[in-house]
């Protein structure tokens, strides 16, 4: 079965590098399934899971937005933040979720930090979902 090279990079450095059979990611326009020799594309990513499918297993990576760039033999994900499933600290993610929920309950939707806190909650929930899967 053919493969494609995948690199997931954040401002802090490379989070993942390897060959996979398929990449699934959640773009702003919808779910993407990338196979080797896929047509070139660039798309913004939503907060979500990137699935890296191998012949015998699937790795999960939590990404906090960014972009995906696809060429026929390479997929590059430039993410604001990314964590492999096995590196997610579930207790920390649960605390972040509780903090964000508390702040959202206390603030008006017109508050200047409302959207930032809402995104904090979305990132925490994404990390929890991936860690518990």
């Amino acid at each position: 079965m053919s493969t494609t090279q995948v690199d997931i990079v954040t401002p802090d450095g490379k989070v993942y590098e390897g060959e996979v059979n398929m990449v699934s990611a959640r773009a702003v326009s919808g779910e993407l399934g990338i196979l080797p020799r896929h047509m070139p594309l660039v798309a913004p990513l939503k907060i979500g899971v990137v699935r890296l499918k191998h012949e015998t297993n699937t790795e999960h990576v939590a990404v906090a937005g960014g972009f995906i760039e696809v060429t026929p033999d390479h997929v590059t994900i430039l993410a604001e933040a990314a964590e492999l499933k096995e590196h997610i600290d579930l207790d920390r993610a649960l605390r972040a979720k509780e903090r964000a929920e508390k702040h959202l309950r206390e603030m008006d939707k017109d508050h200047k930090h409302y959207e930032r806190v809402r995104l904090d909650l979305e990132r925490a929930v994404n990390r929890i979902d991936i860690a518990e899967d």
Side-chain angles (χ1 to χ4, degrees), residues 44-129:
L45 294 176
K46 294 183 98 172
I47 294 169
V49 61
V50 172
R51 291 175 189 84
L52 305 168
K53 298 181 183 188
H54 304 274
E55 285 185 25
T56 59
N57 69 320
T58 300
E59 294 180 86
H60 296 88
V61 183
V63 295
F67 290 89
I68 185 168
E69 178 187 32
V70 179
T71 63
D73 61 349
H74 200 117
V75 175
T76 303
I77 294 175
L78 303 171
E80 296 169 25
E83 281 182 276
L84 294 167
K85 177 180 179 174
E86 58 268 20
H87 295 160
I88 294 173
D89 182 339
L90 182 57
D91 290 334
R92 187 173 141 241
L94 289 166
R95 287 191 308 273
K97 177 181 179 274
E98 289 172 12
R99 250 189 332 272
E101 287 172 336
K102 179 181 182 283
H103 287 133
L104 285 176
R105 281 191 304 271
E106 296 171 352
M107 76 175 51
D108 187 49
K109 286 186 179 188
D110 295 329
H111 191 280
K112 65 181 179 177
H113 296 297
Y114 184 86
E115 185 61 17
R116 181 185 57 80
V117 175
R118 189 193 65 74
L119 290 172
D120 289 345
L121 176 59
E122 192 175 340
R123 283 188 289 273
V125 169
N126 182 53
R127 294 172 65 237
I128 292 165
D129 288 347

